Amino acid sequence: MKDDGYPMREMVNLSCIWHRVIEKQMADLGMTSIQSRMIGYLYFQSRRQRKVFQGQLEEEFKIRKSSVTSVIQILEKKGLVRRTGVPGDARKKELVLTEQGIAVQETVIERLERLEELVNQVLTEEERRLWFSCIRKIETRLEEAEYG
């Protein structure tokens, strides 16, 4: 194991590898990582009976309004998402997955579960507990630094 004193660099490298693997797994679906993540967010919010609007995606994914708009437009063209008017506010549009969007997300879930299992096969239960403990500590410290 390489420990050169830069854990965040290693986390960024791992994140890049993870995103490349996911994009490769989703290539036949014609989905980028961010498209897949947004569809996933819409899917899980709908399962909780929660409505989703563009502003929530901006906040959730920490990206600009114009970027979210571009992704949503692409997902609409692919027939995966539609915008639905909200009674009483013509400017506000709820984002809803189509039946095709739901089917694609269920395929994505199956593939991600297989990838998670692949990763879990190389970690013991103790290593997984330690991994999550370390990640939570890093998240807490970074959040304190950001908001402190």
Side-chain angles (χ1 to χ4, degrees), residues 26-64:
M26 305 306 161
D28 68 312
L29 299 174
M31 304 271 292
T32 65
S33 176
I34 191 65
Q35 290 168 359
S36 177
R37 290 170 53 216
M38 282 190 188
I39 285 181
Y41 183 82
L42 292 170
Y43 179 86
F44 288 108
Q45 293 303 317
S46 71
R47 294 297 177 253
R48 294 181 180 109
Q49 309 289 309
R50 295 182 182 154
K51 295 182 180 204
V52 178
F53 302 95
Q54 182 168 325
Q56 291 167 262
L57 296 177
E58 295 164 24
E59 187 176 315
E60 177 69 22
F61 296 103
K62 313 267 188 281
I63 56 177
R64 292 182 309 270

Side-chain angles (χ1 to χ4, degrees), residues 66 68-78 83:
S66 60
V68 172
T69 299
S70 295
V71 173
I72 294 302
Q73 288 172 342
I74 291 167
L75 294 174
E76 282 182 305
K77 285 178 187 171
K78 291 180 178 193
R83 297 178 210 226

Side-chain angles (χ1 to χ4, degrees), residues 113-140:
E113 286 174 350
R114 284 196 306 265
L115 287 172
E116 287 283 354
E117 182 57 33
L118 184 71
V119 170
N120 279 328
Q121 289 173 359
V122 299
L123 298 173
T124 66
E125 186 62 35
E126 180 57 32
E127 287 169 330
R128 278 191 294 277
R129 277 195 297 274
L130 181 58
W131 169 262
F132 285 114
S133 174
C134 292
I135 294 297
R136 287 183 194 107
K137 282 183 179 181
I138 292 168
E139 284 174 340
T140 298

